[in-house]
Amino acid sequence: MTGGRFPVPARRGLLYAAAAGAGAALTAPAARAATRSAPSRAPSATPWTTSWATAQTAPTTADPVAYAGLTDGLSTTRLRLSAGGQVRLRYAHAFGAAPVLVGPVTADGRPVTFAGQRQEWLAAGASLTSDPVEGLQVPDGALLTVETRLPGPTGPLSFHRNTHAWHTVDGVRTRSVLLLAGVETTGARGPVLAVLGDSIAEGTGTPDDADLRWPDQLARRLPGSAVANLGISGNRLLLDNDRSGVSGQARFDRDVLSLPGLRTVLIHLGVNDLHHVPVERDPSRMVAAYRQLALRARSAGLRVMGATIAPFEGWTRWTPEQDAVRRQVNEAVRGGGIFDAVADFDAALRDPDRPSRLLPAYDSGDGLHPGPAGHTAIAAAVERRHLR
């Protein structure tokens, strides 16, 4: 960030010490089991699970509305839930420098309260959860409209830049969501899953407002499931970036472990480490990072699933050297016992005649991001038996 108004955390280290232990996984026999047992999380004391979510980043000067903030502004968000039931909202200001007054708020036109009050302060760096919205009971897959008044002046606002769905701020159309980080419901009857991902999970390659992102399609395939999509375009496993946020390792506790009632996390990161500068050329560092995320997930009682990295020849920054690293990482993910289960997105999406490319029917046109049919194939590659 420029101007010092809204500092971005410094880049974090690359787990050099852990990398040495990961090297063995790169040569593990392919026949080694790709699944393993995981400790069961203790039954949740809360009926609430996250039915819709965004992962936040800090705005830059290229995000004028979020960077400048609002004064007596109205943010209207239209979102597609996964599991239904009673509803409550969660706001967050992960990168905030000052508290923000939130409210009045409505959900589908019904008043939202915070400990009985129509307005409440959201502390910098913190989250704010509402009371259950009185009289509001929604079905699975419901479309919910949330209107949030921000009296301000707020200063820079933590936000999600592109949800691949249209909203408004003071009547002006935007794909961004300000402060609203989650909608929690009580009706989950199936798996409760969080996806820690990048632009593919976020929905790049799918039409706006179509709800064809693969986490959406997975939720529809598994009725009663609660799926939290924590994809951020450009997000990396190992390094931070001003535009695409802190690394998956750095945001794991805030974005994943803080979610109520969570049972499974799926790690879908890595491709941006291969082609964004500085390019990662050592597969053992990526494998070490996967191992650390898996350890942290299991320590929290979660089942952890890993995804292989899909091919991306045809993307503007693709090189054969990057593809070689991708294949080594995927071999370790499949055969190294890193995760409790594996979703093989590479096998689901690749062209059998040219495995370094997406199958043409699955390619959105840029070589990297699957189109709607590709997202369907990804959702189908996540096996129900591996989810809780």
Side-chain angles (χ1 to χ4, degrees):
M1 285 288 311
T2 58
R5 292 179 58 196
F6 210 63
V8 175
R11 292 179 182 270
R12 286 154 175 83
L14 294 181
L15 291 171
Y16 289 103
L26 296 174
T27 57
R32 196 169 166 186
T35 60
R36 57 186 294 175
S37 61
S40 297
R41 197 174 199 182
S44 176
T46 174
W48 297 96
T49 59
T50 301
S51 182
W52 173 91
T54 61
Q56 294 184 336
T57 59
T60 70
T61 53
D63 308 299
V65 174
Y67 190 81
L70 301 178
T71 298
D72 195 26
L74 181 66
S75 175
T76 302
T77 305
R78 297 177 74 251
L79 52 93
R80 182 71 65 181
L81 299 175
S82 48
Q86 289 184 282
V87 171
R88 70 183 187 186
L89 310 181
R90 180 171 56 86
Y91 292 85
H93 202 5
F95 300 93
V100 173
L101 185 61
V102 175
V105 176
T106 64
D108 277 359
R110 296 178 181 272
V112 176
T113 59
F114 305 88
Q117 303 301 309
R118 292 302 309 279
Q119 292 182 310
E120 187 55 271
W121 287 96
L122 168 59
S127 64
L128 173 67
T129 301
S130 79
D131 303 324
V133 182
E134 188 173 352
L136 183 59
Q137 187 90 13
V138 298
D140 294 346
L143 186 63
L144 185 72
T145 299
V146 176
E147 292 189 335
T148 305
R149 178 70 63 180
L150 298 174
T154 65
L157 293 168
S158 304
F159 80 135
H160 187 95
R161 183 171 290 109
N162 187 356
T163 63
H164 300 279
W166 285 101
H167 321 283
T168 62
V169 175
D170 289 338
V172 178
R173 277 163 49 95
T174 178
R175 295 181 181 90
S176 299
V177 172
L178 309 176
L179 296 184
L180 184 64
V183 177
E184 298 167 1
T185 60
T186 58
R189 308 174 307 284
V192 181
L193 172 71
V195 178
L196 185 73
D198 51 34
S199 59
I200 296 176
E202 187 190 67
T204 302
T206 66
D208 292 339
D209 287 328
D211 301 316
L212 291 174
R213 298 162 291 247
W214 76 258
D216 295 311
Q217 297 199 46
L218 179 64
R220 288 194 293 272
R221 209 186 92 211
L222 303 173
S225 60
V227 181
N229 186 342
L230 304 173
I232 299 176
S233 183
N235 200 232
R236 296 175 65 147
L237 179 67
L238 295 171
L239 292 179
D240 303 346
N241 179 276
D242 285 357
R243 289 288 288 173
S244 54
V246 298
S247 72
Q249 296 176 91
R251 67 186 180 97
F252 187 75
D253 288 16
R254 179 186 66 242
D255 287 352
V256 175
L257 298 187
S258 65
L259 300 183
L262 188 64
R263 299 175 200 146
T264 304
V265 57
L266 192 154
I267 310 297
H268 183 199
L269 289 171
V271 69
N272 292 317
D273 296 78
L274 300 179
H275 70 88
H276 279 309
V277 177
V279 170
E280 182 51 64
R281 294 181 172 87
D282 186 349
S284 69
R285 292 178 186 159
M286 297 179 64
V287 171
Y290 286 145
R291 288 191 183 280
Q292 284 297 308
L293 289 175
L295 175 63
R296 288 158 69 184
R298 292 192 193 101
S299 295
L302 300 178
R303 186 168 181 80
V304 57
M305 178 180 287
T308 53
I309 303 172
F312 62 102
E313 183 182 354
W315 180 245
T316 54
R317 291 190 292 270
W318 181 89
T319 68
E321 292 75 20
Q322 293 165 5
D323 196 62
V325 175
R326 180 186 70 87
R327 286 184 277 108
Q328 290 179 73
V329 171
N330 284 350
E331 181 180 355
V333 168
R334 290 189 185 103
I338 302 168
F339 300 108
D340 302 320
V342 173
D344 199 340
F345 294 172
D346 172 38
L349 295 174
R350 69 189 177 213
D351 185 341
D353 296 325
R354 192 164 181 174
S356 58
R357 286 183 179 268
L358 296 172
L359 191 72
Y362 292 159
D363 191 348
S364 69
D366 64 14
L368 172 63
H369 298 101
H375 281 255
T376 302
I378 293 175
V382 181
E383 298 183 48
R384 170 64 179 87
R385 65 191 176 96
H386 294 317
L387 303 176
R388 290 193 178 132

